[in-house]
Amino acid sequence: MQTRRRCAPWIGIKQPFSPRVGLRQNIPLKRQARPEASIIQREGVYREASRTASLGLGVNVFLVILKLVGGTITGSAALIADAINSVGDVASSLAVHGALWMAQQDEDDDHPYGHTKAESIGALSIAILIAFSAGMLAIENIRHLRQVVSVPPQTAAIIAALCAVLKEAIYWQTRRVSSRIDSRSLQAAAWDHRSDAICSAAIAVALFAAPYLGPLGRFADPVAAILVCALLIGIGVRLFWQTALELMDQQADPELTDSIRHRAEEIGEVTRIEKLRVRKSGLEFFVDIHVEVDAQLTVGEGHRIGHLVKDELLRSFPRVRDVLVHVEPDD
């Protein structure tokens, strides 16, 4: 009676012929390195996200100067409030840059799962900043309602309209990239751009209409700013909730989960996928998968199949950072 040979899984194992496994000798069981093409694609995702964040940062710096100078010259409280909001946008863009840089750092002793959640933390910070700054601006403009102020000249409306057009354009660019790479921080930045576009558009409409509203014209500027602040608070709360769910390791989208399941099932020596968990961490994903194999296989053979599953998933899904495979007997 032939006995099965047991040995350390990292050395390899000589196996007898099996119709299921085939003839395999000295099979290396060490984990294969992530394919170079996969690494290049992963790095490309971060580069694209960083370029988009840089574009948003440049536009925000320009708009801070434009709104602040224009608001000071025309005396528009709403335009100055919008400029302060853009200062927050500059801080948000810098936070996105820092988060993306941190998320790319390799694992270390203190962070064995890497630093990918830094991207989500950046998005959470932006959401809080949007809601907080909007609340402060709303309070300031409520105070302006009690003051007698003159209607700003039409120049302020033109500046606000120009800012709205620029912000709407950068919103669509950032949204396109965030949708393609599924980035929470860029999604938050995109909605920050959209909220600014709506804010500036509302201010432009109010300032254009103010001269035709008679005595009520002086309220157009602060009322427009208050309404926009309310919108910003709502957007900030929604972004906060979406990012918080991600930080609580919410299951990934069913489309990605099903793709991973089907790819693992295509490996011939896997009989069934018993359990699959996929959690999003920043721009990347972590997979926990339980695979069932022939109960008659040796520990070494099961270990080899587990690595086949892991290496195949890492190769097929470049944004999967790591895979934990649990091998179970197929009863």
Side-chain angles (χ1 to χ4, degrees):
M1 177 176 172
Q2 186 179 16
T3 58
R4 296 179 183 271
R5 178 182 174 185
R6 299 180 180 273
C7 63
W10 56 84
I11 297 176
I13 184 168
K14 290 186 178 181
Q15 304 173 16
F17 178 79
S18 165
R20 177 177 181 81
V21 179
L23 180 61
R24 301 180 184 274
Q25 293 186 345
N26 296 325
I27 299 173
L29 297 179
K30 291 183 67 176
R31 176 184 179 274
Q32 297 178 7
R34 179 185 287 271
E36 183 177 355
S38 175
I39 296 176
I40 293 174
Q41 184 172 342
R42 172 177 172 266
E43 293 175 348
V45 169
Y46 279 105
R47 280 198 301 270
E48 185 171 16
S50 297
R51 283 197 300 266
T52 303
S54 297
L55 179 62
L57 175 61
V59 171
N60 284 331
V61 171
F62 171 74
L63 290 182
V64 167
I65 298 173
L66 179 62
K67 293 175 184 178
L68 192 58
V69 172
T72 302
I73 293 175
T74 62
S76 171
L79 205 56
I80 293 176
D82 205 15
I84 296 174
N85 183 39
S86 292
V87 172
D89 296 338
V90 172
S92 298
S93 298
L94 292 174
V96 171
H97 266 291
L100 290 172
W101 175 84
M102 178 62 70
Q104 297 179 69
Q105 304 308 305
D106 293 331
E107 300 86 348
D108 54 37
D109 292 339
D110 293 330
H111 304 87
Y113 293 98
H115 303 76
T116 52
K117 285 192 175 181
E119 198 263 353
S120 299
I121 294 173
L124 199 69
S125 301
I126 295 173
I128 295 173
L129 183 61
I130 291 174
F132 177 77
S133 61
M136 297 302 294
L137 289 174
I139 293 173
E140 184 64 24
N141 279 279
I142 289 173
R143 293 174 180 171
H144 286 167
L145 290 174
R146 303 175 182 176
Q147 302 173 4
V148 178
V149 294
S150 59
V151 176
Q154 293 293 287
T155 305
I158 295 174
I159 293 174
L162 175 61
C163 293
V165 172
L166 288 176
K167 271 295 189 176
E168 184 67 12
I170 196 65
Y171 159 76
W172 283 106
Q173 169 65 15
T174 306
R175 180 189 176 188
R176 180 180 63 83
V177 175
S178 67
S179 297
R180 186 169 62 250
I181 66 177
D182 195 20
S183 168
R184 281 287 180 265
S185 63
L186 285 184
Q187 182 185 20
W191 277 106
D192 198 13
H193 295 318
R194 165 53 69 85
S195 66
D196 291 340
I198 296 174
C199 178
S200 297
I203 292 172
V205 171
L207 294 180
F208 275 126
Y212 308 101
L213 297 178
L216 298 178
R218 68 184 186 89
F219 295 107
D221 189 35
V223 168
I226 293 170
L227 293 177
V228 170
C229 288
L231 175 65
L232 292 175
I233 292 173
I235 291 174
V237 171
R238 185 172 64 84
L239 288 174
F240 179 91
W241 177 247
Q242 290 178 343
T243 309
L245 290 177
E246 184 175 300
L247 287 171
M248 291 188 291
D249 291 335
Q250 184 183 33
Q251 178 81 329
D253 294 336
E255 182 179 356
L256 174 62
T257 304
D258 291 341
S259 297
I260 292 175
R261 180 185 300 275
H262 293 156
R263 188 67 197 95
E265 289 174 341
E266 290 175 354
I267 298 175
E269 294 160 312
V270 174
T271 59
R272 193 172 76 92
I273 304 301
E274 193 271 335
K275 185 182 296 182
L276 175 61
R277 295 172 180 168
V278 183
R279 59 185 176 92
K280 189 172 184 292
S281 182
L283 296 180
E284 301 179 69
F285 297 87
F286 287 86
V287 176
D288 296 332
I289 185 169
H290 291 206
V291 299
E292 293 186 358
V293 301
D294 188 346
Q296 301 303 314
L297 297 178
T298 64
V299 173
E301 289 167 342
H303 183 71
R304 176 185 59 79
I305 295 172
H307 275 298
L308 285 178
V309 174
K310 180 172 185 174
D311 295 335
E312 181 59 29
L313 293 182
L314 289 175
R315 184 191 66 80
S316 301
F317 301 93
R319 290 176 61 185
V320 171
R321 188 178 185 96
D322 198 11
V323 179
L324 178 63
V325 182
H326 179 73
V327 180
E328 297 184 355
D330 182 14
D331 298 329

